[in-house]
Amino acid sequence: MARALEPQRRLLAVYTGGTIGMRSEQGVLVPGSGLAAVLRSLPMFHDEEYARACGLPEDTLVLPPAIPDQRVIYTVLECQPLFDSSDMTITEWVQIAQTIERHYGQYDGFVVIHGTDTMAFAASVLSFVLENLQKTVILTGAQVPIHALWNDSRENLLGALLMAGQYVIPEVCLFFQNQLFRGNRVTKVDSRRFAAFCSPHLPPLAVMGTDVTINWELVRKARGKAQLVVHSSMERDVGLLRLYPGIPAALAMAGAGIVSGFDMTSEAALAKLSYVLGHPGLTPDDRKEEADAIREALVPSLACAAAHAGDLEVLQALGDLGSDLSLESFNGQTPLHAAARGGQPGAVTMLLRRGVDVDPRDEDGLSPLLLAVKGRHRGVIELLRAAGACLSLQELEDAGTELCRLAARADLEGLQSWWQAGADLSSPGYDGRSALLVAEAAGNLEVVTFLQNLKGGAGVQAPGPATL
Ligand code: ASP
């Protein structure tokens, strides 16, 4: 669906507050009422002559023509009270959705004027609350009030009105600094620059420059003619936990009901959780399933973190909760990979006792045994070999070059790790030379002695798992 071609397009602009209309009261900026009157006085926002000729009512404004034969007519609905958006919650955002629902039939599109501090939350919540949208809903606001000489209010509001007035983009969007973003993909990244928002994982739906470029392939397609549904029963009792390096796994215990947000913004993750848990269609059994799914989604990351840190208590607790400790995390690594990488024999033993697969492969084909070899974790290598882990044929074939590199650097521990893992230390490198030849040429006597002893005694081939 491209440009809407009707001669008049009617919008509802819901003014909730925010910096855009703020005025200074005793030196403090507070949300200011009477935005419609301010807009009426600005020719870029109102064509008085056209309005008079059409007999438009007092609260209704009309933009000057942007394209021939089409006018964008809009009514400003000012909320009581007006909000600084940092005081807004899901309750107010649901009320905005209900306002849109009440006026849905009368208008072709909606602009929500909102403070920037929580606009990304508002856009995310609205995107879940408003189901079956067939019309454009755009949130916008500003960093500097419209009364200031140098401000971003005029550009942002005019852009939002033009986008909603001229195009049918049936989803909840956010317009800021010439860009139209998907509402549940944005996050506020700056409180001083005019480019306050970004959409880290999705390009803008549209960009306004000398021309308007719309990425129609990204724009949601409105399906059928289903009626707008407003989901007002959002669960308020949800929270956000940001994972950070070194987070104690116990802090994020799966039993507490945490779900991984993947590439979602935190705003969207919170809104989605609130929507899912508040959904009236969920029976108690569904909710339990949801909670189980949430736990299952988080267990792999938690178990990997605990295994890597050797946190046996947490691993034990996860296992006792009935969690599957062989599940892969986002990169295909299992807790056994993590324990091997971290050189944690205790965690490896516990996982093996719980019967996890000893030779799983991650997304890059790496096994716990290879990770232990790379980390020179000899205790872990021993445990894995005893449990039957083997290097793959490919890994054994590729080992030659790595062995020569270790021999050249006199890395005895590295060579011993490979030997312990079952590699043939006489395998040639890429140039056909063996590790022994390389060590002799480099004069690395300790390595030469080690390799010669293997050759003369136990053999360059390490003993098999059964002998360890
Ligand atoms: N504190 C204001 C608000 O979010 C900031 C803004 O609008 O930019 O309402």
Side-chain angles (χ1 to χ4, degrees), residues 16-22 29 31 83-88 114-119 140-144 152 176 188 190-191 196-197:
T16 69
T19 291
I20 207 166
M22 280 188 177
L29 279 178
F83 284 94
D84 181 307
S85 78
S86 22
D87 298 327
M88 293 174 90
H114 198 284
T116 60
D117 288 342
T118 60
M119 202 192 300
T140 195
Q143 300 277 60
V144 178
D152 57 338
F176 224 86
K188 185 173 174 184
D190 209 301
S191 50
F197 291 90

Side-chain angles (χ1 to χ4, degrees), residues 145 210 400 457:
T210 46

